[in-house]
Amino acid sequence: MSKYTFQIWRGNSSSGEFVEYKTEVDDGMVVLDVLHRIQAQQAGDMALRWNCKAGKCGSCGMEVNGKPQLACMTRMNTYLEQDVITVQPLKTFPVIKDLVCDVSWNYDQNLNIKPFKPGLSDSDGRYRMSQEDVDRVQEFRKCIECYLCQDVCHVLRDHNRKDVFVGPRFMIRAAGLDMHPLDVEDRIPDIRDEFGSGYCNITRCCTDVCPENITITDNAIIPLKERVADRYYDPIIWLSNKVSGLFQNDSKI
Amino acid sequence: MNVDISEIQTFDHDVVVIGAGGAGLRAAIECSDQGLNTGMICKSLLGKAHTVMAEGGAAASLGHTDERDNWKVHFRDTMRGGKFLNQWRMAELHAQHAADRVRELEEWGAVFDRTSDGYINQRPFGGHRYPRLAHTGDRTGLEIIRTLQDYGIHQGIHVHQECTALKLLKDSGKISGVFGYWRDTGRFVLFRTKAVIMATGGAGKIWRVTSNSWEYTGDGIEMAYSAGAELIDMEFAQFHPTGMIWPLSVRGILVTEGVRGEGGVLLNSENERFMFNYTPDRFKEETADSPEEAQRWLDGDASARRPPELLTRDVVAKSIMKEVEAGRGSAHGGAYLDIASRRDGEYIKRKLPSMYHQFKELAEVDITKERMEVGPTLHYMMGGIAVDGDTQMTAVPGLFACGECTGGMHGANRLGGNSLSDLLVFGWLAGKGAKDYVSQLFRPLQIDPDHIEEARREAVGPLNQEGGENPYLLHEELQNIMNDVNIVRTADGLKRAIESLEELKPKLANIYAAGSSQYNPGWNQALSMRPMVMVAEAVARAALIREESRGAHTRLDFEGEREEWGNINIMICQNTDGSMDARKVGRNSPPDHLAKIAYSNLEDLEGGVHV
């Protein structure tokens, strides 16, 4: 057993500071275990979110030594005893108290995405899809909504453009719907105009922090950008749309 | 001094669903679909409930991987798994409707794994005769909760996140409101409503080693009990046989039964596949008796019987314990679970990705190359609020319940995969039940300000103390007491536990939480102590009464199932003086058509019409 030093951000929406705690750390502990120990022994009212403690619910996202992480999946043996470990709330969202942020903006974005709309089923009422076709979508559906990608996204974090870009989480949500083999809804105009696909400049920071190892940028955002480009900027399709648009206005590619 | 109700933030709904896991979400969707103004309260953020932890799948007799399957075989498996103590009607409705509820999820966007001909794939699981679990890798719960969430937010449900319900309010015996508080501000909130659907899950946190998160403190069970509902089968708490046991900090985290479903085997320290020694007589006919036969089953031979690792959870958990007691346990006191030598690495990563991830990250074990170490962990409560099977209404008019917080569906032991299907079927039925109830109400309901004031005063108690009991340490004390109400039990231990709980109760009035009411985990913990102690007492009292060993309830002083107890459920309710009444209640004999299915030969059922 060894003693570690933590600097934990304590405060609320108006003010706060780092407070130092020293605590024993046992073999196999993760950061969340340490926070719980500090809570039980030294700071009963220290606020933090957690649920499953197994990397499956995405509640305990925070910044440990400046890096967005799930506290439940961050092992203490990745730090040295002489290190000072800083723990602070996600920077991109307003703080409520201590390590807890107001992430309600994310829930608002989800509401703006047109829901799943299935096409016709087989005559027996069942749907058929091949595993190969659902593999791609299943990658996006692994998302545990921890919002670490939202936290690290430059558009949201550094430029605070929550008014124009939904962030990586909801780009993969949109991709998961758009690439769903049964879905027939058209979201391409929204992806460009409402979700701000053009704002992502492909730095892949979101992919780096994803605890589920979803290849967010390459597998979701770039293909969505391509779909937008095909619809709006491909000269041949543009021309054919113009021509066919003389006869109908709701063409879907 | 009485509180002025007009100063408390108030919402008006036709129905309030408490809990936003699978059961709560499914119930809320149904209520909204039925035209009710629906509110849903959740203690955490939406989409974080324990349903995300369900790994293996949802059991439903879709018949996609074995055409012989149908609802009758599912019903029979469920009754046998529950040691015939299940409520017959609930088990019937569950088996009949599970398939439709799973198919409906697909229409709402769920993406289950596929069979080679493109239909929903089904995986074998403990106690299920055929591969029956619709699944998405080993993260089926996440798939289901996200599907319900993403569908539900477009159905007009009013979601109240990070809100804790404290008390149900009644008007002349009928539900008329819910009193609670916002976790972020600590402010109180009142919901005026005509009906409440309880969907709060279990109370795993009363035990030390559990797969449950902080939320599972039995609030819903306690609120219903205090409001006059009855509880049933509280002695049956399921210890999942395979939880992580090392390192200590991850002890209790679940290792899906899917590992065994995909071919994983349990080994003792002598490398012996010990489960072959523990097949109960009731299951001998349907269980492989040699590794060779088990291997043929894994290879898809329809004539081979299922491996003993897929016996019901109660049997596997106790077998691991017996091996440990006999000195053949693993290095840290459990058993070894080996999938590495059974399947190739790529297959394991594809079918069990989150298990691979979990062991790699938390225990530095590569399950494609090494064995896992596992042991029993408290996972699920079969017991809970007693409800009418068709409507899901409790003994309190206007109070409904669904999902894990209810009792009766699973009897003495739940089969894996039957909880995801349970929450879909009974969430749906609870929504319908609430609609029917609300439709026949004609008189406006009132809320008594005195009841609110009483609840408010009790809630702020821990904040107004000058000092007192530490809620975190009290919780530890409770978990220590429950060591006597664990996987194996004796009369002495249970009596000792009940006495200790009585001694703990006065301390609850003296809990102290430092700080303000704003997002204060110490205060939240303090408020969850009373429900936890109440549920703990119910489990201990029921366990003391049941003098036999059946399913998840094992009495060292009363070994084996006793016939007379097969006709008895233990019911619990609150006496007028506040004390707990636990009593034996005779079971009604089953309807003929169900008894016939439950006790029939498989051959008779396999020819049945596929539903």
Side-chain angles (χ1 to χ4, degrees):
Chain A
M1 198 182 287
S2 20
K3 202 149 194 162
Y4 280 71
T5 305
F6 280 76
Q7 292 275 351
I8 301 175
W9 197 89
R10 301 292 313 271
N12 54 34
S13 56
S14 48
S15 67
E17 59 182 350
F18 282 97
V19 177
E20 186 168 294
Y21 298 92
K22 287 184 191 298
T23 189
E24 303 286 345
V25 171
D26 307 334
D27 278 352
M29 270 188 158
V30 292
V31 169
L32 184 60
D33 293 318
V34 178
L35 296 175
H36 281 154
R37 182 168 280 180
I38 291 170
Q39 214 176 37
Q41 295 174 351
Q42 305 177 50
D45 64 341
M46 184 172 76
L48 62 103
R49 285 198 182 102
W50 70 283
N51 281 77
C52 75
K53 208 182 169 299
K56 292 192 171 70
C57 74
S59 301
C60 63
M62 51 189 75
E63 298 188 5
V64 184
N65 284 352
K67 191 179 172 207
Q69 316 237 46
L70 293 181
C72 72
M73 298 300 277
T74 305
R75 287 172 63 91
M76 283 303 298
N77 65 5
T78 54
Y79 305 102
L80 299 172
E81 198 174 342
Q82 60 266 30
D83 294 346
V84 173
I85 300 162
T86 65
V87 185
Q88 57 195 317
L90 300 179
K91 188 186 163 197
T92 301
F93 301 103
V95 170
I96 295 175
K97 187 187 166 197
D98 303 334
L99 302 173
V100 173
C101 304
D102 177 1
V103 293
S104 57
W105 177 81
N106 294 288
Y107 286 88
D108 297 339
Q109 304 316 301
N110 197 23
L111 209 49
N112 292 330
I113 300 176
K114 283 182 193 159
F116 176 70
K117 183 173 161 189
L120 293 177
S121 60
D122 288 358
S123 55
D124 62 358
R126 293 190 290 180
Y127 291 98
R128 295 176 72 170
M129 297 184 269
S130 74
Q131 185 62 45
E132 291 70 29
D133 289 340
V134 301
D135 278 345
R136 184 161 66 159
V137 180
Q138 285 185 334
E139 181 191 5
F140 308 138
R141 295 184 67 87
K142 286 197 302 187
C143 173
I144 56 175
E145 297 200 322
C146 62
Y147 307 131
L148 296 185
C149 57
Q150 305 288 78
D151 183 49
V152 83
C153 172
H154 305 283
V155 184
L156 305 178
R157 185 187 181 99
D158 300 328
H159 304 289
N160 196 24
R161 293 309 305 272
K162 297 191 184 84
D163 54 333
V164 293
F165 185 48
V166 293
R169 158 56 190 143
F170 297 102
M171 292 304 282
I172 64 164
R173 166 82 184 126
L177 288 163
D178 215 55
M179 300 179 193
H180 193 304
L182 301 180
D183 182 76
V184 295
E185 185 62 85
D186 179 15
R187 296 179 193 79
I188 298 296
D190 284 354
I191 287 168
R192 184 184 74 157
D193 303 331
E194 308 295 327
F195 309 159
S197 59
Y199 282 88
C200 168
N201 58 356
I202 319 186
T203 54
R204 297 190 173 85
C205 303
C206 51
T207 305
D208 287 345
V209 298
C210 178
E212 286 293 310
N213 300 313
I214 302 171
T215 315
I216 301 172
T217 318
D218 289 28
N219 289 355
I221 300 180
I222 292 175
L224 287 184
K225 281 171 172 280
E226 286 168 354
R227 289 179 182 210
V228 167
D230 286 349
R231 171 78 61 89
Y232 293 102
Y233 307 111
D234 184 309
I236 297 168
I237 294 178
W238 179 82
L239 189 66
S240 81
N241 279 352
K242 270 283 186 225
V243 175
S244 67
L246 295 173
F247 306 100
Q248 58 179 73
N249 289 319
D250 58 345
S251 62
K252 176 179 176 178
I253 296 161
Chain B
M1 185 196 80
N2 270 355
V3 66
D4 180 357
I5 297 191
S6 63
E7 285 179 9
I8 295 179
Q9 185 184 18
T10 302
F11 293 89
D12 285 283
H13 295 299
D14 291 329
V15 59
V16 169
V17 180
I18 306 180
L25 275 162
R26 187 62 190 83
I29 287 169
E30 191 60 27
C31 289
S32 201
D33 192 39
Q34 298 275 346
L36 298 181
N37 173 331
T38 306
M40 184 167 62
I41 302 174
C42 47
K43 285 208 286 189
S44 285
L45 294 174
L46 183 61
K48 306 298 182 191
H50 212 55
T51 303
V52 302
M53 293 292 284
E55 293 162 348
S61 56
L62 297 161
H64 290 173
T65 43
D66 196 319
E67 287 180 349
R68 290 173 294 180
D69 202 10
N70 59 56
W71 79 264
K72 291 174 183 172
V73 187
H74 190 181
F75 169 79
R76 177 179 179 273
D77 289 343
T78 300
M79 292 302 297
R80 286 157 57 89
K83 317 298 178 231
F84 293 92
L85 217 58
N86 323 49
Q87 297 301 300
W88 293 86
R89 179 63 175 153
M90 291 179 85
E92 179 187 24
L93 286 166
H94 168 258
Q96 285 176 335
H97 293 286
D100 280 346
R101 299 281 76 74
V102 167
R103 278 194 280 261
E104 172 181 78
L105 288 180
E106 192 159 69
E107 287 168 34
W108 296 347
V111 183
F112 295 109
D113 287 356
R114 318 307 295 179
T115 61
S116 54
D117 51 2
Y119 295 118
I120 297 171
N121 198 359
Q122 296 181 273
R123 136 186 302 161
F125 235 55
H128 292 283
R129 171 73 183 159
Y130 302 114
R132 189 175 281 148
L133 271 64
H135 62 277
T136 304
D138 56 0
R139 51 161 195 85
T140 316
L142 175 67
E143 186 64 30
I144 288 182
I145 198 168
R146 200 66 82 229
T147 300
L148 292 171
Q149 175 187 344
D150 287 338
Y151 180 79
I153 57 171
H154 294 287
Q155 308 307 310
I157 300 162
H158 303 270
V159 184
H160 305 286
Q161 299 189 50
E162 296 198 307
C163 179
T164 299
L166 291 169
K167 191 183 173 72
L168 299 176
L169 305 167
K170 295 193 292 185
D171 174 10
S172 341
K174 291 190 176 83
I175 290 293
S176 62
V178 181
F179 180 71
Y181 70 100
W182 301 107
R183 298 176 79 85
D184 59 351
T185 59
R187 292 212 182 91
F188 292 106
V189 57
L190 174 65
F191 299 91
R192 297 174 182 275
T193 184
K194 298 166 189 162
V196 164
I197 299 178
M198 207 54 93
T200 51
K205 284 314 269 186
I206 64 179
W207 284 275
R208 182 177 308 287
V209 180
T210 174
S211 62
N212 288 193
S213 84
W214 66 267
E215 293 196 277
Y216 299 89
T217 51
D219 328 10
I221 296 172
E222 191 270 345
M223 276 184 274
Y225 166 84
S226 298
E230 285 190 305
L231 310 181
I232 186 170
D233 294 343
M234 290 301 286
E235 65 274 32
F236 299 109
Q238 180 169 73
F239 288 81
H240 193 291
T242 60
M244 291 177 80
I245 56 173
W246 189 258
L248 272 183
S249 70
V250 299
R251 194 158 180 195
I253 295 178
L254 196 66
V255 179
T256 176
E257 193 168 322
V259 176
R260 284 169 284 139
E262 297 294 347
V265 296
L266 288 164
L267 303 167
N268 62 22
S269 60
E270 292 163 10
N271 227 13
E272 182 195 8
R273 200 168 159 186
F274 59 84
M275 281 308 300
F276 285 104
N277 308 330
Y278 293 102
T279 307
D281 291 341
R282 178 181 286 161
F283 293 99
K284 278 207 165 117
E285 211 180 298
E286 297 166 22
T287 307
D289 57 11
S290 70
E292 292 71 31
E293 185 179 2
Q295 184 60 45
R296 281 195 287 117
W297 177 88
L298 188 63
D299 296 337
D301 179 348
S303 70
R305 295 170 297 178
R306 302 151 37 79
E309 279 84 5
L310 291 178
L311 285 162
T312 53
R313 289 177 173 176
D314 52 328
V315 175
V316 181
K318 274 180 271 180
S319 307
I320 293 175
M321 280 201 62
K322 282 183 183 154
E323 287 297 304
V324 174
E325 278 163 20
R328 296 188 293 269
S330 65
H332 299 100
Y336 294 107
L337 175 59
D338 173 34
I339 182 94
S341 71
R342 313 274 300 160
R343 296 279 195 184
D344 70 67
E346 281 314 304
Y347 182 89
I348 295 169
K349 284 187 201 167
R350 187 162 55 81
K351 295 304 271 189
L352 303 163
S354 68
M355 284 303 103
Y356 174 74
H357 192 58
Q358 179 175 313
F359 272 89
K360 191 102 179 149
E361 300 282 331
L362 294 176
E364 293 174 354
V365 166
D366 180 349
I367 67 167
T368 66
K369 298 191 177 77
E370 301 164 78
R371 304 183 296 188
M372 295 162 253
E373 250 192 286
V374 294
T377 178
L378 189 285
H379 181 54
Y380 187 89
M381 294 183 64
M382 272 70 73
I385 306 163
V387 291
D388 171 72
D390 289 272
T391 62
Q392 298 295 104
M393 191 151 90
T394 67
V396 180
L399 178 61
F400 298 76
C402 56
E404 186 180 349
C405 70
T406 64
M409 158 65 208
H410 304 287
N413 173 59
R414 177 177 68 81
L415 295 184
N418 269 2
S419 67
L420 287 181
S421 44
D422 162 341
L423 56 83
L424 294 172
V425 171
F426 294 109
W428 169 69
L429 284 174
K432 291 190 181 308
K435 163 70 181 176
D436 290 345
Y437 172 80
V438 168
S439 307
Q440 52 84 45
L441 284 178
F442 50 92
R443 188 176 61 81
L445 296 160
Q446 304 300 320
I447 285 173
D448 183 343
D450 290 345
H451 294 165
I452 296 177
E453 174 54 18
E454 191 188 311
R456 192 198 62 86
R457 203 182 306 129
E458 198 175 324
V460 296
L463 293 168
N464 292 340
Q465 298 263 116
E466 292 295 319
E469 304 284 346
N470 176 333
Y472 298 100
L473 298 182
L474 274 191
H475 186 203
E476 274 183 35
E477 200 175 323
L478 170 64
Q479 291 178 328
N480 285 339
I481 294 170
M482 292 306 281
N483 286 339
D484 278 326
V485 197
N486 223 309
I487 189 162
V488 289
R489 302 157 176 181
T490 62
D492 287 347
L494 293 167
K495 283 180 191 155
R496 191 164 53 231
I498 293 167
E499 271 171 36
S500 305
L501 288 168
E502 287 302 328
E503 289 162 16
L504 190 65
K505 283 182 194 170
K507 295 185 187 172
L508 300 184
N510 193 33
I511 297 186
Y512 165 63
S516 74
S517 63
Q518 190 203 12
Y519 220 117
N520 183 342
W523 184 46
N524 302 156
Q525 178 72 39
L527 295 181
S528 65
M529 283 307 298
R530 196 189 50 171
M532 281 197 279
V533 171
M534 179 262 131
V535 174
E537 182 182 350
V539 175
R541 287 193 187 279
L544 182 62
I545 293 175
R546 183 169 290 275
E547 294 183 330
E548 66 159 351
S549 297
R550 181 184 295 267
H553 172 69
T554 303
R555 285 284 297 266
L556 291 180
D557 43 356
F558 293 94
E559 286 187 8
E561 285 177 26
R562 315 270 165 121
E563 203 183 329
E564 65 275 21
W565 282 99
N567 297 317
I568 287 165
N569 289 112
I570 295 166
M571 305 292 293
I572 287 176
C573 64
Q574 191 173 36
N575 292 318
T576 43
D577 66 357
S579 62
M580 186 177 283
D581 175 57
R583 65 191 186 285
K584 299 194 272 184
V585 174
R587 287 166 60 82
N588 294 329
S589 33
D592 288 345
H593 72 286
L594 293 181
K596 209 171 143 191
I597 299 170
Y599 298 111
S600 64
N601 292 321
L602 276 168
E603 291 71 32
D604 299 338
L605 297 179
E606 284 165 353
V609 181
H610 181 66
V611 180

